Amino acid sequence: MSKPGKQGSGGATPPPERQHCGFIAVIGATNAGKSTLVNALVGAKVSIVSHKVQTTRVPVRGIATEGDSQLVFIDTPGLFTPRRRLDQAMVDAAWGGARDADLVVLIVDAAKGLDEDVARILERLKGARTPLLAVLNKVDRVAAKEKLLALAGEIERHVPLQGVFMISALSGDGVADLKRALAERMPPGPWHYPADDLSDAPLRILAAEITREKIFNRLHEELPYAITVETASWEERKDGSVRIEQTIYVTRDGQKAIVLGKGGQTIKQISTEARHELCGILERPVHLFLFVKVRSGWQDDPERYREMGLEPPKK
Ligand SMILES: Nc1nc2c(ncn2[C@@H]2O[C@H](COP(=O)(O)OP(=O)(O)OP(=O)(O)O)[C@@H](O)[C@H]2O)c(=O)[nH]1
Ligand SMILES: [Mg+2]
């Protein structure tokens, strides 16, 4: 995806001998604010966000520049104890993202502190060789500064850290400092992407994710987890608009009825919200058509995983 409406933060591309570039995996417990932070660092929405857990399902790359450095962020699914098959595929993908990075940023929700999920992540990071930085997020929710310092100390007792940053990804507090510090740690090497690219995800994937975000925000309990969204067709029309058809897969008839809502109200709201956001990103009129299909076994169907960009879980 290049230039979805907004410019990347960088100016001109530096000459090859000055270029630095690296991959930074952003990992952490689910709901810690990883996607919010990656969007803030990139300066555009590349990854969807919700107040619910397990929103991100697939590692998403977001690209930013700072000085002579190109920073390729990998927003990963949250790390948690997997229960469903999809969970396992998500958690495997998250650790895979961390393995391939030059630098790992561990995000911890400062209001939650070092809970069981974080403890488990720290345990697994102990043996890792990739340099690690800790970011305490949601500091806007923590009034006592001593609490933050204590948390930083606790994390440092578990794993060797290159540094600790305290930020609010939501308000942007501390994000610029973090970005500069990350840029300084990037190894010399050619930029992987053109200067104004913001993501490498195809627009049809981003479009499906945006619809999934609206579903996450509007539907509750188990339903968002029983859903996957795919862009079935994408047609650029002569009048400059784009016609997008998407399929929302659910696992049961009852779920289909909830997604549609009384007289089709719910799906209409989801569609309006998604279309509105897509118009902003694509900077042209969008005609969005959503279809709900019941596919009881989609969570066992390798094709659905491939469409999402995940390795199907092994039986
Ligand atoms: N108060 C506050 N809320 C935040 C901050 N950063 C993120 N949030 C909120 O935390 C919730 C989760 O944010 P996400 O960015 O989706 O979290 P995530 O870590 O990507 O979550 P998963 O993809 O589900 O693992 C959302 O409601 C965000 O608005 C912050 O700095 N302060
Ligand atoms: Mg996320």
Side-chain angles (χ1 to χ4, degrees):
M1 173 176 71
S2 69
K3 288 199 268 182
K6 290 184 197 121
Q7 285 287 331
S9 53
T13 311
E17 65 279 7
R18 286 221 324 260
Q19 291 179 6
H20 287 63
C21 184
F23 288 83
I24 303 163
V26 179
I27 69 165
T30 183
N31 209 245
K34 300 175 293 299
S35 303
T36 307
L37 175 62
V38 169
N39 290 339
L41 288 160
V42 170
K45 179 152 162 184
V46 294
S47 194
I48 63 167
V49 166
S50 91
H51 59 285
K52 293 195 174 67
V53 296
Q54 296 155 36
T55 302
T56 305
R57 289 183 177 165
V58 184
V60 176
R61 282 185 187 180
I63 304 152
T65 53
E66 175 77 30
D68 293 338
S69 293
Q70 183 169 67
L71 304 100
V72 185
F73 295 102
I74 305 156
D75 178 24
T76 63
L79 296 163
F80 57 98
T81 309
R83 285 186 204 93
R84 295 163 285 224
R85 297 191 72 208
L86 174 62
D87 299 350
Q88 187 64 57
M90 286 160 55
V91 170
D92 290 349
W95 282 115
R99 210 170 32 238
D100 301 335
D102 297 291
L103 192 67
V104 171
V105 169
L106 169 67
I107 302 222
V108 178
D109 181 336
K112 279 196 186 149
L114 211 164
D115 62 9
E116 247 177 63
D117 281 337
V118 178
R120 231 175 273 126
I121 297 167
L122 289 172
E123 197 48 46
R124 181 148 173 190
L125 282 172
K126 265 183 188 151
R129 265 167 294 170
T130 317
L132 179 69
L133 248 125
V135 169
L136 310 187
N137 187 34
K138 308 195 187 182
V139 297
D140 54 289
R141 285 199 179 157
V142 183
K145 182 106 171 110
E146 315 82 71
K147 201 179 153 193
L148 296 175
L149 295 173
L151 178 57
E154 254 186 294
I155 296 170
E156 214 149 19
R157 270 196 294 282
H158 285 81
V159 285
L161 292 175
Q162 303 260 318
V164 182
F165 290 79
M166 297 177 190
I167 67 156
S168 168
L170 194 62
S171 74
D173 239 12
V175 173
D177 285 343
L178 171 64
K179 191 171 169 184
R180 269 192 299 276
L182 294 171
E184 282 166 15
R185 289 173 166 82
M186 291 296 93
W191 287 14
H192 285 286
Y193 297 95
D196 50 9
D197 273 15
L198 301 175
S199 167
D200 68 347
L203 283 171
R204 53 191 298 139
I205 298 262
L206 180 72
E209 284 288 271
I210 294 209
T211 300
R212 196 165 65 81
E213 180 186 76
K214 307 312 169 205
I215 292 171
F216 260 65
N217 287 329
R218 207 162 264 286
L219 300 175
H220 305 293
E221 291 163 28
E222 280 304 294
L223 235 170
Y225 306 101
I227 278 172
T228 183
V229 182
E230 292 176 13
T231 299
S233 80
W234 184 290
E235 187 197 340
E236 303 283 346
R237 299 173 61 173
K238 283 202 191 79
D239 62 5
S241 67
V242 52
R243 185 184 194 283
I244 302 169
E245 285 186 12
Q246 293 178 334
T247 311
I248 300 169
Y249 289 103
V250 295
T251 55
R252 295 196 308 270
D253 278 329
Q255 293 165 342
K256 178 171 175 173
I258 297 171
V259 176
L260 294 175
K262 227 183 191 167
Q265 280 281 339
T266 307
I267 191 128
K268 200 169 162 202
Q269 285 164 338
I270 292 167
S271 176
T272 304
E273 285 172 14
R275 186 175 56 77
H276 188 75
E277 187 161 348
L278 279 169
C279 284
I281 291 173
L282 300 171
E283 294 182 309
R284 60 201 134 129
V286 172
H287 310 280
L288 179 64
F289 298 87
L290 302 179
F291 302 93
V292 187
K293 273 193 197 160
V294 181
R295 174 116 12 134
S296 63
W298 78 256
Q299 281 152 326
D300 294 315
D301 178 359
E303 186 56 29
R304 303 280 77 75
Y305 286 84
R306 274 193 284 275
E307 277 288 331
M308 272 185 257
L310 282 177
E311 283 289 319
K314 291 172 190 72
K315 295 246 181 201

